[in-house]
């Protein structure tokens, strides 16, 4: 089943190039829907009592000369991300299939999105370090092409910045993975987790963690390595922004949880305070940057830096509560920010701009359903209790009260205080945005304009995200019940 999860979008990527352009979007919907059905079948047949161990495994020879194997599998850490990825890709394909949303060169765009899906899903199911790196890299070129080919006016510069930053991070990551292999003679992630750093000196663990976490930090992105993100989000087409925020950023934090923390525990203890400091610095920096933004897409892009800061804080505590908070925060951010970018895409289609001053307010009066959805997504993103965004951030701050042994409790209380300030600033910039976009009267320049409210196809694309944001907010066990057992196995070394 794991192989089918990767083969479906890969074959679809090749097949769509031979179809008539008018059928490309519908074919993309069919392929991504079949992939989503496979992911849901995996979730339905997954043994949740053994969530700490890989299921649906494939372990076949790859390069026998150096004992490399194609090792794939899904456990409680990767399963929620697999389902999230398949869901967002299916919704993006459905969004492209709207009568009013047909893109230029549809075959190429659908093929690139399907290839991106292969890389994202492969990253989450790979259980071999080199295979993980290969899938990690597969994502970069198609996403670069999506931004450069279908983005905004400054798309070329944004795409170049994206590829240069992420390739630099990948180079550092590869050096760290090779260092780990040179000292252990294996790239099997299950074996390395079971060893939990045994046989590795303290210096090697610290250097390895620095290289691996540092390379992954570019993809998160960790402040101050974030500067590629706002331009990439702002210039990318709606589906590119949704996948960038909803999945690609999670690949970095997933790698930290899957590789860096359990395989290099002494390095994790040594560098976790620095990781936590960068995380909370990013929370405050992003909130202040959001208060200064005049473009909706750019505001949401900067907000992602802040939300991922909470994920980093959870990881930096090195506790089961903190790691679970990070994994739940990943899922919540993917759902909420994916919804926000969908909504902003709808606003841009109607107003012809995402400039806040040009929109001028009155969205609730002009398009009440669209405005109400924007309000819902914004309050979910600021962490309103009862919605998905609340739990990851609250649990991350809670875990800072009691970090793992070997970490300075007083320092983590400072992190907690700074993160608390960040939550206040987050509420401030979202409420300011809603006041300037959703509330107030319709500006005179828009009163004579006629554009519809939320369409039926938009409801189809957005309703699953709405339902999941509410469901996880009311019952976080939907995610935590899957991840907790796997996290505890990971932290105690398999």
């Amino acid at each position: 089943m794991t192989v089918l999860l990767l083969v479906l979008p890969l074959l679809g990527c090749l097949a769509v190039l031979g179809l008539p352009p008018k059928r490309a979007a519908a074919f993309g919907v069919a392929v991504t829907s079949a992939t989503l059905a496979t992911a849901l079948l995996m979730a339905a047949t997954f043994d949740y009592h053994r969530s700490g161990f890989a299921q649906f495994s494939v372990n076949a020879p790859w390069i026998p000369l150096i004992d490399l194997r194609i090792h794939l599998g899904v456990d409680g850490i990767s399963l929620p991300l697999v389902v999230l990825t398949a869901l967002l890709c299916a919704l993006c394909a459905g969004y492209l299939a709207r009568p009013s949303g047909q893109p230029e060169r549809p075959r190429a765009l659908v093929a690139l999105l399907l290839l991106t899906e292969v890389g994202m899903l492969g990253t989450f199911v790979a259980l071999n370090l080199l295979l993980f790196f290969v899938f990690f890299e597969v994502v970069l070129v198609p996403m670069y092409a999506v931004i450069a080919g279908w983005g905004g006016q400054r798309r070329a510069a944004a795409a170049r910045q994206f590829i240069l930053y992420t390739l630099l991070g990948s180079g550092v990551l590869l050096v760290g993975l090779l260092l780990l292999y040179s000292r252990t003679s294996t790239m099997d992630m299950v074996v390395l987790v079971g060893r939990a750093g045994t046989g590795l000196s303290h210096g090697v663990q610290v250097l390895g963690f620095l290289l691996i976490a540092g390379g992954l930090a570019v993809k998160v992105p960790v402040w101050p390595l974030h500067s590629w993100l706002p331009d990439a989000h702002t210039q990318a087409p709606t589906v590119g922004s949704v996948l960038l925020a909803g999945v690609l950023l999670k690949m970095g934090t997933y790698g930290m949880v899957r590789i860096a923390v359990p395989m290099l525990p002494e390095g994790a203890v040594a560098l976790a305070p620095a990781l936590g400091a960068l995380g909370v610095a990013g929370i405050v920096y992003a909130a202040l940057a959001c208060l200064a933004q005049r473009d909706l897409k750019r505001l949401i892009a900067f907000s992602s830096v802040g939300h991922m800061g909470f994920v980093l804080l959870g990881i930096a505590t090195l506790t089961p509560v903190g790691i679970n908070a990070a994994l739940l925060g990943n899922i919540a951010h993917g759902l909420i920010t994916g919804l926000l970018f969908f909504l902003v895409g709808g606003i841009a289609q109607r107003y012809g701009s995402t400039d806040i001053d040009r929109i001028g307010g009155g969205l609730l009066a002009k398009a009440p359903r669209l405005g109400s959805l924007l309000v819902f997504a914004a309050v979910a993103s600021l962490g309103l209790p009862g919605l998905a965004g609340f739990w990851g951030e609250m649990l991350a701050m809670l875990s800072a009260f009691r970090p793992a042994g070997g970490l300075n409790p007083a320092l983590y209380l400072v992190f907690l205080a700074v993160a608390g300030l960040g939550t206040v600033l987050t509420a401030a910039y979202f409420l300011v945005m809603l006041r300037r976009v959703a509330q107030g009267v319709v500006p005179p320049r828009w009163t004579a304009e006629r554009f519809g409210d939320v369409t039926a196809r938009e409801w189809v694309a957005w309703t699953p995200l709405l339902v999941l944001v509410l469901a996880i907010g009311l019952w976080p066990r939907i995610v935590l019940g899957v991840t907790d057992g796997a996290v505890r196995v990971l932290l105690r070394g398999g």
Side-chain angles (χ1 to χ4, degrees):
M1 199 180 300
T2 308
V3 173
L4 183 63
L5 193 72
L6 303 178
V7 168
L8 281 172
L10 180 59
L11 292 180
C13 169
L14 300 175
V16 73
L17 297 175
L19 294 177
K22 291 183 179 180
R23 296 180 57 189
F27 182 76
V29 172
V31 173
T32 54
S33 297
T35 307
L36 175 60
T38 304
L40 292 176
L41 182 60
M42 293 177 73
T45 56
F46 187 81
D47 184 354
Y48 293 93
H49 297 292
R50 301 183 65 254
S51 64
F53 302 94
Q55 301 177 39
F56 314 108
S57 296
V58 174
N59 194 349
W62 182 17
I63 307 177
L65 182 65
I66 52 177
D67 196 28
L68 284 179
R69 304 181 68 81
I70 297 176
H71 194 181
L72 307 172
V74 176
D75 66 0
I77 291 173
S78 56
L79 180 63
L81 289 166
V82 166
V83 175
L84 174 68
T85 302
L87 173 63
L88 289 178
C89 288
L91 297 182
C92 285
Y95 191 77
L96 289 178
R98 296 171 303 145
S100 60
Q102 290 291 320
E104 297 179 354
R105 307 182 303 282
R107 289 182 299 185
L109 179 56
V110 171
L112 289 169
L113 291 178
L114 290 173
L115 183 58
T116 303
E117 183 175 22
V118 174
M120 294 185 298
L121 290 171
T123 300
F124 297 135
V125 302
L127 293 176
N128 176 283
L129 290 180
L130 186 57
L131 199 60
F132 170 90
F133 182 78
V134 168
F135 282 120
F136 194 86
E137 293 302 288
V138 163
V139 175
L140 302 186
V141 174
M143 185 53 66
Y144 164 83
V146 168
I147 298 171
W150 289 267
Q153 293 181 349
R154 298 181 60 249
R155 59 185 180 271
R160 283 196 301 269
Q161 192 175 34
F162 165 77
I163 198 71
L164 289 174
Y165 267 82
T166 50
L167 283 177
L168 175 62
S170 296
V172 175
L173 171 63
L174 180 59
V175 173
L177 297 179
L178 291 176
L179 173 66
L180 188 57
Y181 173 70
S182 70
R183 294 295 189 272
T184 61
S185 300
T186 182
M187 286 196 173
D188 192 292
M189 294 163 71
V190 176
V191 172
L192 290 169
V193 169
R195 292 181 182 177
T198 301
L200 298 176
S201 68
H202 178 78
V204 167
Q205 291 203 40
V206 171
L207 178 59
F209 189 92
L210 179 64
L211 291 170
I212 294 172
L216 294 167
V218 176
K219 187 66 72 69
V220 173
V222 176
W223 177 90
L225 303 174
H226 69 284
S227 57
W228 64 268
L229 180 68
D231 288 337
H233 271 313
T234 304
Q235 299 302 316
T238 296
V239 293
S241 295
V242 169
L243 294 181
L244 265 173
V247 183
L248 264 72
L249 306 190
K250 316 302 177 290
M251 292 165 60
T253 51
Y254 170 80
M256 291 182 187
V257 172
R258 173 67 73 190
I259 300 172
V261 171
M263 297 181 191
L264 302 163
E266 291 183 26
V269 172
L271 295 175
L275 197 64
L278 293 174
V280 296
I283 294 170
V284 175
Y285 166 83
L288 294 174
C290 285
L291 286 169
Q293 297 308 308
R294 296 294 180 266
D295 183 277
L296 275 175
K297 288 188 77 173
R298 201 169 180 85
L299 183 150
I300 298 169
F302 271 108
S303 77
S304 294
V305 177
H307 290 306
M308 298 310 291
F310 283 101
V311 174
L312 286 172
L313 176 60
I315 295 172
T317 66
L318 304 180
T319 62
V321 174
I323 302 295
N324 275 298
L327 296 172
L328 178 55
N330 272 341
I331 301 300
H333 178 263
L335 295 170
I336 296 169
T337 307
L339 177 59
L340 278 168
F341 276 117
F342 271 134
L343 294 172
V344 171
I347 291 171
Q349 184 181 8
R350 290 162 173 82
Y351 286 89
S353 174
T354 56
D355 184 87
I356 295 174
D357 293 329
R358 178 165 174 74
I359 295 169
L363 181 61
L364 283 168
K366 188 69 175 176
R369 294 180 181 84
L370 183 59
S372 298
L373 291 177
L374 181 65
V375 172
F376 175 88
V379 298
S381 191
L382 64 83
L384 185 73
L387 299 176
F390 169 75
W391 291 106
E393 297 181 4
M394 187 276 290
L395 289 173
M397 291 191 290
L398 180 65
S399 66
F401 271 115
R402 290 185 178 179
L407 301 178
N408 185 342
L411 177 62
Y412 276 77
L413 287 178
V414 175
F415 293 165
L416 171 61
V418 177
L421 173 62
T423 62
V424 176
L425 293 173
T426 300
Y429 69 72
F430 270 119
L431 293 175
V432 169
M433 182 272 288
L434 290 176
R435 178 179 61 81
R436 300 182 61 198
V437 173
Q439 297 177 333
V441 299
V442 179
R445 61 180 172 274
W446 300 118
T447 53
E449 291 286 336
R450 286 186 171 274
F451 48 72
D453 210 333
V454 181
T455 66
R457 287 183 180 267
E458 287 174 332
W459 278 119
V460 170
W462 302 342
T463 298
L465 301 179
L466 292 167
V467 171
L468 287 171
V469 167
L470 185 59
I472 293 173
L474 295 175
W475 193 248
R477 187 175 172 79
I478 294 172
V479 177
L480 296 177
V482 183
T483 62
D484 185 54
V487 166
R488 294 182 185 277
V489 169
L490 206 66
L491 291 180
R492 67 170 179 257

